[in-house]
Amino acid sequence: GFHLSGTVTEPATATEPEMTYKVAISFDRCKITSVTCGCGNKDIFYCAHVVALSLYRIRKPDQVKLRLPISETLFQMNRDQLQKFVQYLITAHHTEVLPTAQKLADEILSSNSEINQVHGAPDPTAGASIDDENCWHLDEEQVREQVKLFLSQGGYYGSGKQLNSMFAKVREMLRMRDSNGARMLTLITEQFMADPRLSLWRQQGTGITEKCRQLWDELGALWVCVVLNPHCKLEEKSCWLRQLRKWGEMEVCPLEDGNYGNELPNITNALTQSSSHSQDSLARPRRTVFTRAIEGCDLHWQDSHLQRIISSDFYVSPSYQREGESLLFNSQGQPLWLEHVPTACARVDALRSHGYPREALRLTVAIINTLRLQQQRQLEIYKHQKKELLQRGATTITNLEGWVGHPLNPIGCLFLTLTEACRLEEENCLEISDVGDSRPPVYQHVPIVTGSQDSGESYLSLALEVALMGMGQQRVMPEGLYAQDKVCRNEEQIIARLQDLELDLVLVQTLRKQCILLLEGGPFSGLGEVIHRESVPMHTFAKYLFSALLPHDADLAYKLALRAMRLPVLETTAPSGDVTHPHHLVSVVPSRYPRWFTLGHLESQQCELASTMLTAAKGDMLRLRTVLEAIQKNIHSSSLIFKLAQDAFKIATPADSNSDTTLLNVALELGLQVMRMTLSTLNWRRREMVRWLVTCATEVGVRALVSILQSWYSLFTPTEATSIVAAPNNTILRLSLDYPQREELASCARTLALQCAMKDPQNCALSALTLCEKDHIAFETAYQIVIDAASTGMTYTQLFTIARYMEHRGYPLRAFKLASLAMTHLNLAYNQDTHPAINDVLWACALSHSLGKNELAAIIPLVVKSVHCATVLSDILRRCTMTAPGLAGIPGRRNSGKLMSTDKAPLRQLLDATISAYINTTHSRLTHISPRHYGEFIEFLSKARETFLLAQDGHIQFAQFIDNLKQIYKGKKKLMLLVRERFG
C-alpha cells in the first residue's frame, strides 16, 4: 500500500481526558512522503501519533488490513453500486464534501471541461509513478518558523542550543543519506540570511555576537559537507552553487573572519592552494562564510588514486616501484593523498557525515602518512639551514594557514574520525546521549587495517599523533579578534578531547616520539628552536604535554615546557623579512604592532604553564632554578609574576606540613623581581605586594629580612620602607630570634630609617624617629635630619605632628623648636576661624607658656605674624592670662609663679594684634553683610569689646571704634540702630 490511515488514542491523564486522533500517512519507496494528524501539532518532527501509527504498521504488519488501491475496487462495481457508493460517501460527509461533489458533477457533465480532456482519474491510494520525485516528508513552513523564532530570541532561553540541535538533525539526515538534509539546511540558511540583525550589525560595524558567530561557522561547515557529498548529482550541485553564490553576494552576508571587513582580512589560503599568494590586503577577495562551500563545488571524487584509497584497505604500490620518489605512495608502499590539508580533511568530514565511516578512515590514514612524510622532509630541510637560522635567531618561515582554529577544523575532524573507530559503545547506549550525562568516552586500541606489513599501530595512537602534529604546527597568529579567539577555543576543544584518552604504554610511546620531533622540527614546529615573531604561542598545548609526559619522561617534559615559555611578539621588533621564501612570507606592516586581541589571555596561559612547572619542581633546586630563569626571561607582566610568586608561596607552605625552602626561595625571588618592576610605575596593588613580600621574607628567615632591609632602595619607596617593611611587627615573635639576631634586624631597620629620612624627610621623618627611639645616636641623627629639612622641605602639619611626638617622648624644648618652625610656614586669614591648624597653634602656645616667659616671648611674634583671625588670637590671649607661665618645671629654671600682664611684653604685642584683627575683621564683614547675619555680627562686637577692655584705655578705644562705625556705615540704618541699642 501507499496510504496508511488509522485512529490513535491518547490515554487520559490526571488533567486531560482521553483523546482520539485520526492519522493519515502516505509513503513511497520506503519513505514517508506526507502526514496529517487531527492533533494539529506543528513541529519539524512528526507528532507522537504519526510515530505510533508508523511503528504499529512496522511491528504488527499482519494486524493492518492490506487493500487494493481504491481505483481497483471501484473498477469492480456496477452502475448501481457506484451510485450507491457516491451517495453514501456524500451523506457521511455532506457538510465538507457536498460543494466539491456538486462542482465535480457539473464539470463531468460539461463535455468541454478540463476534467473530460484527461483520460482516467487520480487515485491517492495508488502511489506515485516511477519518475516522480520521492523524498521524506518535511514540514518546510515549520522549519522556517522555528529557525525564525530561535534567531529572534538572540541566543537567549537556550535558543542557541535549539539551533545547534537543528544542525545536528541535518548531520543525522546526511548520515542516513536522507535527501531532506540539504533541503532543511537551505531553509535554515534562508532564515539566517533574513535575520534583521545582520544589517543592523553591518551599519553599526560592531560585528556579530559571539554565540551567533559560532552558529554561522557551523552553517558554513555544513554546506561544505553537503557540496562534498561523494554521490550527489551534478544538477543538485549546480543548484546549490547558484544558491550559495546568491547568498554570498548579499551585502549582509557575514565574512569568514568574523567581521564586516573593518579589520584587515584574514591571511588564509583558498581551498585550492595557490603559489602566487597575494599579500596585498586590498587585492584579497572578500571571503564570506559560504566561500569555502563555493570553492568546494569545484572538487570532485573522480580521481582514480582517490577512489582506490577510499575503496580498499589493501591498496599499496607494487613492491618493485618503491625505489625513488613517488607522489602517490610512501617508501612502505602506503598510499599518500597530496591535497591541501584542510581540503583533504573536508573530504574526510564529508565521507563521515554522509555515512561512509570506513572510507573516511582510509582517507584519514593516507592524509596522516602524507603529513608524516612532510614532517620528515621539513626536518631534513631544517638540518641544512639550522646553522644559519640559529645565528639569526628568528625565522620568516611559517604557515600562513593554521590548522587549529581553521574554519574547516581539519585536526578536529581527523581526530574524531579516528577515535570514533575506537570507541567502546556501552550497552543500550543511545547515539545521542543526554547532555547531562558527561561521562568521558572509553576507547580501545583498534589495529589499522593495511595492505603493507603489520605496522602494530592503532587508530587511537594515530589520533593522538595527528592531534599533536596539528597543535604543534608553527603558524602565524591570524588577524582580527574573531579569528584569534577561535584559535584559543579550538585549541581548548582539542586538548579537552586529548584529556579523555587514557595514556597507556602505546600512547606514551607515540607522545614521546612526537614531542621529540616537535622539539627538533625547526621553524616548521611551534616548539622548534627558532620561530616566527608572530607565531601562535604554544603555552596551553605545552601545559598539556608537560602534565602528560611528566610521569613518564620528566627531562623531556621540562625541556618542552621551558622551550614553550617564550612569547616573541613581546620581545622583538618586526624583522625585515627573508625574501628567499616568498610563499612563506608574512607581510609585516612595519607600523603595525601586531594587534593581538587575545594577548591578555595568552599571557595568563603563559603564567599557568610556569605555575604548573613550579608546582611539579617543588623540592628540586636545579629544576626550580631553570624554571625561575625562564619566568624572569619571558614573562613581562608584573601582576602575572606576582601571581606566580603567590602560587609558589602557597605551594611551599602547606597548612599541614613543613615549608619547602627551595620553592620559598623562588617565591621570594619572584617577589623581589615584582618589587623592582613596579617601583617606578604606579600599581594599585603595590601596598599589597609590599606586605606580601615582607611575609614571604619572614617565612624564608632572618637572612632574607636583613637582605631586603639592606637593599631597600632598589625595591621600595622610602615611605614603604619605613611604614611597612621596617615597621616593628610580629616578625621577631614569629621567627623566635635570639638577642644578636634581634639586634642585627633592629640595627638594619635604623640604618634604613635614617637613609629614608634623608631621601624623603616629609614622609619618613616621623617613622624614622619612631624606629630609632631605642638608640640614642640614631635618634639624634634623625632629629637633626628633621631640623635641617624643616626650613625647606616640610609642611607645618608634618612639623606640628613631629613636635607633638617630641613632647610625648619627653623632649619639650625640641617640641617647642619644631613648633616654632611650623609656625613660620603657617598663614591663617581673618575668616579662617575653623581651620584644622588652629588646634596645633593653641597647643604650640600652651607648650610655650608652660615652658616659661622666654619661650612665650619667642613664639608670640610668630603667632602675630601668622594668625590674622581675631577669635583665635583672643582665645590664645585669654589662655595666657589665666595661669602663670613656666609650669612645666624645666630643671634649673626659676619660676616666679606670677600671672602676666597684658600691658607688658610679650602679651602687649598679642593684645594689640588681637584688637587690630577685630577692627579689620569688622570692616571686612560689613562690606557685604546681609540682614540675616545682623544678630551674629552684634555678638561678634560683644566679643571684641571683651578684648578691648583688657587694655588700659580699652573702653575709650572701643567707644571711638563704635562711633567710627556709625559714621562710616550710617547707610545701614537698621544695623546701626541695633549697634546703638547694645553699645550706646
Side-chain angles (χ1 to χ4, degrees), residues 713-979:
Y713 45 86
S714 65
L715 305 168
F716 314 107
T717 64
T719 319
E720 289 167 345
T722 51
S723 64
I724 306 174
V725 184
N729 50 19
N730 57 3
T731 307
I732 290 157
L733 295 173
R734 180 101 196 263
L735 290 173
S736 55
L737 303 175
D738 55 21
Y739 180 74
Q741 288 175 320
R742 287 207 297 270
E743 272 311 291
E744 184 183 13
L745 269 183
S747 160
C748 287
R750 287 193 293 269
T751 309
L752 170 148
L754 294 174
Q755 289 170 340
C756 293
M758 286 289 285
K759 197 165 180 188
D760 183 3
Q762 281 196 323
N763 296 307
C764 301
L766 186 57
S767 308
L769 286 163
T770 315
L771 285 165
C772 295
E773 278 171 2
K774 294 201 173 78
D775 183 288
H776 179 67
I777 297 171
F779 189 78
E780 289 304 312
T781 313
Y783 173 67
Q784 203 45 55
I785 292 169
V786 175
I787 297 296
D788 293 346
S791 56
T792 52
M794 298 182 79
T795 66
Y796 60 82
T797 315
Q798 289 161 338
L799 289 167
F800 275 132
T801 309
I802 297 169
R804 288 192 165 198
Y805 161 82
M806 281 294 183
E807 188 201 25
H808 178 69
R809 294 277 305 136
Y811 296 103
L813 288 168
R814 290 180 172 187
F816 166 73
K817 184 167 186 181
L818 288 165
S820 305
L821 287 166
M823 286 300 293
T824 61
H825 292 274
L826 180 67
N827 186 16
L828 277 185
Y830 78 92
N831 56 354
Q832 287 183 296
D833 50 0
T834 55
H835 193 283
I838 292 172
N839 278 336
D840 289 322
V841 174
L842 294 175
W843 168 80
C845 292
L847 172 71
S848 313
H849 185 264
S850 72
L851 288 174
K853 202 170 171 184
N854 295 346
E855 281 76 13
L856 191 59
I859 206 150
I860 279 175
L862 300 176
V863 171
V864 167
K865 193 171 172 208
S866 301
V867 181
H868 308 289
C869 181
T871 48
V872 177
L873 289 168
S874 64
D875 201 2
I876 295 169
L877 188 60
R878 191 177 51 78
R879 289 171 189 229
C880 289
T881 52
M882 278 164 64
T883 52
L887 295 180
I890 299 289
R893 285 200 187 178
R894 284 180 58 242
N895 175 12
S896 67
K898 280 193 343 213
L899 290 172
M900 292 172 77
S901 158
T902 50
D903 292 343
K904 297 194 185 119
L907 293 190
R908 177 72 211 216
Q909 193 186 353
L910 183 58
L911 175 62
D912 291 347
T914 310
I915 288 173
S916 74
Y918 268 118
I919 293 170
N920 292 337
T921 306
T922 303
H923 288 301
S924 298
R925 287 179 75 162
L926 281 171
T927 49
H928 28 241
I929 190 167
S930 66
R932 63 186 177 158
H933 292 127
Y934 284 176
E936 201 185 303
F937 177 70
I938 297 296
E939 290 311 309
F940 174 74
L941 282 183
S942 303
K943 276 219 180 82
R945 181 165 62 180
E946 286 169 24
T947 304
F948 273 83
L949 294 180
L950 289 174
Q952 271 189 334
D953 53 349
H955 60 290
I956 298 167
Q957 268 185 298
F958 187 68
Q960 281 174 345
F961 171 51
I962 292 293
D963 285 345
N964 211 354
L965 288 185
K966 289 183 211 163
Q967 195 55 38
I968 299 171
Y969 302 102
K970 55 176 182 268
K972 299 186 188 294
K973 289 196 177 75
K974 193 173 178 198
L975 180 58
M976 290 307 128
L977 192 68
L978 292 173
V979 170

Side-chain angles (χ1 to χ4, degrees), residues 540-723:
T540 316
F541 179 41
K543 188 178 135 191
Y544 162 76
L545 293 176
F546 178 79
S547 305
L549 273 173
L550 196 61
H552 311 288
D553 186 340
D555 285 342
L556 185 57
Y558 277 100
K559 187 177 180 187
L560 205 139
L562 289 165
R563 170 82 54 86
M565 272 295 288
R566 61 201 169 183
L567 189 50
V569 77
L570 293 180
E571 283 150 31
T572 53
T573 49
S576 54
D578 173 359
V579 198
T580 54
H581 299 281
H583 56 292
H584 283 310
L585 248 190
V586 173
S587 73
V588 178
V589 187
S591 64
R592 168 178 150 243
Y593 177 78
R595 293 186 67 189
W596 282 33
F597 297 94
T598 50
L599 194 58
H601 170 76
L602 297 171
E603 282 189 287
S604 67
Q605 288 301 305
Q606 183 188 33
C607 178
E608 287 280 308
L609 173 61
S611 185
T612 307
M613 283 197 279
L614 284 176
T615 310
K618 179 178 173 177
D620 184 334
M621 204 53 234
L622 227 67
R623 291 242 197 262
L624 281 173
R625 258 300 117 207
T626 50
V627 176
L628 179 66
E629 280 162 18
I631 292 169
Q632 290 171 330
K633 180 174 173 226
N634 294 302
I635 297 186
H636 303 283
S637 150
S638 57
S639 54
L640 288 175
I641 297 177
F642 182 49
K643 184 188 177 302
L644 281 174
Q646 288 175 303
D647 287 354
F649 183 77
K650 257 191 216 117
I651 301 158
T653 51
D656 50 358
S657 61
N658 293 338
S659 297
D660 178 85
T661 46
T662 55
L663 198 49
L664 257 181
N665 280 307
V666 168
L668 180 66
E669 236 177 283
L670 289 170
L672 293 171
Q673 187 184 345
V674 173
M675 289 298 111
R676 287 189 283 270
M677 286 170 85
T678 56
L679 179 58
S680 53
T681 56
L682 285 173
N683 187 309
W684 60 279
R685 295 182 65 190
R686 176 76 191 176
R687 279 186 81 77
E688 176 199 350
M689 290 169 166
V690 174
R691 280 204 189 92
W692 178 86
L693 187 82
V694 174
T695 310
C696 182
T698 307
E699 193 69 43
V700 173
V702 70
R703 301 273 29 104
L705 278 169
V706 168
S707 163
I708 65 169
L709 289 171
Q710 286 175 341
S711 55
W712 70 267
Y713 45 86
S714 65
L715 305 168
F716 314 107
T717 64
T719 319
E720 289 167 345
T722 51
S723 64

Side-chain angles (χ1 to χ4, degrees), residues 461 464-465 468 498 503-518 541 544-553 556 560:
S461 61
L464 175 63
E465 184 180 343
L468 300 178
L498 284 174
L503 293 183
D504 57 13
L505 285 170
V506 178
L507 293 183
V508 168
Q509 207 178 342
T510 306
L511 179 71
R512 285 192 55 191
K513 184 179 161 200
Q514 198 54 42
C515 286
I516 292 164
L517 282 171
L518 285 172
F541 179 41
Y544 162 76
L545 293 176
F546 178 79
S547 305
L549 273 173
L550 196 61
H552 311 288
D553 186 340
L556 185 57
L560 205 139

Side-chain angles (χ1 to χ4, degrees), residues 104-132:
L104 288 171
D106 292 348
E107 286 189 14
I108 285 171
L109 292 173
S110 157
S111 58
N112 57 354
S113 68
E114 203 176 317
I115 211 167
N116 284 325
Q117 309 303 311
V118 182
H119 187 68
D123 178 358
T125 61
S129 88
I130 194 78
D131 311 321
D132 285 358

